[in-house]
Amino acid sequence: MSRLIWFNGQLIPAAEARVGVYDHGVLYGDGIFEGIRQYHGRVFEKSAHVRRFFDSAKGIRLAVPYTASQVDAALEETLAANNLQDSYLRLVATRGINDLGISPTNVTNPCVFIIADSIQMYPAELYRDGMPIVTATTIRSHPNSLSPKIKSLNYLNNIAAKWEALDAGVREAVMLNHLGYVCECTADNIFIVRHGELATPCEESGILVGITRGVVLNLARAGGIPIAETNLTRHDLYIADECFITGTGAEIVPITSIDRRTIGTGKPGPITQRLIAAFQKKVREP
Ligand code: PMP
């Protein structure tokens, strides 16, 4: 089925939506994006995603030629035009077209587009039985290099670690930071449970501050589960009672082995299951 793409303010067929070869988003990864979910006709955590989109834009000094409420309306317009109820939205802004040099000055034509499509989650059995992951040797980019808080179009750091996961025969890899602390996975945040406490790398670890991560922390707080946002080592992962990863596309995936070491009992743990149930309830509530 041919989708309609919201492209610089117009809805156009997907086959006609094109970013120019001189666009610095293509030439240098100079741009930003968001991945957003729609459940039962509602955009999940819409304002948090729109806010992070504008924060990412500010982080790379990209002036988005729309207001937050215009972007909000554009997301809704794209969903309505495609007649979607449960979908995945990709909101992108590129630097725009310029000459071949990397200089971002004098680029005044950012390209903003929204794709609404079906969602590709992990296979269902992984949510039920848990998923193996590995730690990558590729470290997460230093926060003073390209801040991982910016959801930029340059994902090569994550893709390098994704290659390591795929080479090891698994779907995700945990990346450590420049200090050796656990940071995040290639496209997901990571949590562990130990002695009934939920722990996740703190923002200062150099993570993308995931919106699903925030939702899970709030659900844990509301459910009386103690939480710690802190530095974690690879050893902490190995001795955890439970582990799971979170992301907009993935939701909450139980992790049952890391570097071929069994986590906890080797099955999704009780706190993980409680949080998955609370999350499933939340995405469906009005
Ligand atoms: N970390 C990285 C590197 C990501 O790309 C993502 C998004 N897929 C996440 C974490 C999870 O963030 P969110 O919950 O906002 O999707």
Side-chain angles (χ1 to χ4, degrees):
M1 191 189 113
S2 172
R3 299 269 182 224
L4 288 173
I5 309 292
W6 190 96
F7 198 86
N8 293 331
Q10 313 256 302
L11 285 160
I12 59 172
E16 288 168 28
R18 300 210 195 292
V19 176
V21 294
Y22 281 90
D23 192 305
H24 281 204
V26 175
L27 291 174
Y28 299 114
D30 189 352
I32 50 145
F33 75 102
E34 276 298 314
I36 311 172
R37 286 288 288 279
Q38 178 205 32
Y39 294 94
H40 291 265
R42 282 184 308 276
V43 180
F44 187 59
E45 295 290 315
K46 184 167 59 177
S47 54
H49 281 286
V50 172
R51 205 175 314 125
R52 189 171 68 182
F53 180 70
F54 279 91
D55 287 347
S56 292
K58 199 166 182 187
I60 67 161
R61 299 174 66 170
L62 189 155
V64 178
Y66 303 100
T67 63
S69 57
Q70 285 172 323
V71 170
D72 182 309
L75 291 168
E76 298 293 349
E77 204 186 319
T78 311
L79 291 170
N82 287 286
N83 200 15
L84 289 163
Q85 294 296 311
D86 288 274
S87 65
Y88 179 85
L89 286 152
R90 180 58 63 91
L91 165 64
V92 181
T94 71
R95 180 73 63 186
I97 287 170
N98 201 9
D99 55 31
L100 285 177
I102 70 165
S103 177
T105 54
N106 306 322
V107 193
T108 52
N109 50 355
C111 181
V112 182
F113 59 91
I114 302 168
I115 305 169
D117 215 325
S118 51
I119 170 78
Q120 276 270 302
M121 291 181 59
Y122 289 120
E125 62 270 20
L126 296 179
Y127 291 87
R128 193 190 60 218
D129 303 335
M131 184 166 93
I133 59 172
V134 294
T135 48
T137 62
T138 305
I139 63 163
R140 190 75 174 96
S141 54
H142 193 294
N144 290 337
S145 166
L146 175 63
S147 172
K149 288 187 179 180
I150 298 170
K151 204 163 165 57
S152 86
L153 289 183
N154 192 326
Y155 253 53
L156 280 176
N157 176 220
N158 313 57
I159 290 165
K162 181 80 174 184
W163 271 119
E164 294 189 52
L166 298 174
D167 286 344
V170 297
R171 295 166 191 268
E172 244 311 4
V174 192
M175 304 173 80
L176 307 179
N177 68 14
H178 58 289
L179 298 170
Y181 290 113
V182 176
C183 196
E184 61 181 335
C185 293
T186 69
D188 300 295
N189 292 112
I190 188 160
F191 287 76
I192 57 168
V193 177
R194 175 107 168 127
H195 302 317
E197 183 186 64
L198 184 67
T200 193
C202 52
E203 288 191 22
E204 300 73 38
S205 305
I207 56 171
L208 178 77
V209 185
I211 287 163
T212 321
R213 173 185 179 275
V215 169
V216 165
L217 285 171
N218 283 338
L219 290 172
R221 243 177 240 121
I225 301 167
I227 57 179
E229 294 178 66
T230 185
N231 280 322
L232 295 173
T233 62
R234 187 157 52 174
H235 175 70
D236 295 321
L237 300 185
Y238 291 157
I239 63 165
D241 299 324
E242 302 180 34
C243 179
F244 61 84
I245 60 173
T246 64
T248 293
E251 301 183 344
I252 302 175
V253 190
I255 300 301
T256 42
S257 107
I258 303 177
D259 299 335
R260 293 177 181 265
R261 299 175 188 226
T262 301
I263 303 303
T265 62
K267 296 204 161 54
I271 292 186
T272 305
Q273 285 177 331
R274 233 177 98 190
L275 289 167
I276 290 175
F279 184 82
Q280 288 305 327
K281 183 157 175 268
K282 181 168 172 65
V283 299
R284 273 157 186 89
E285 75 198 7

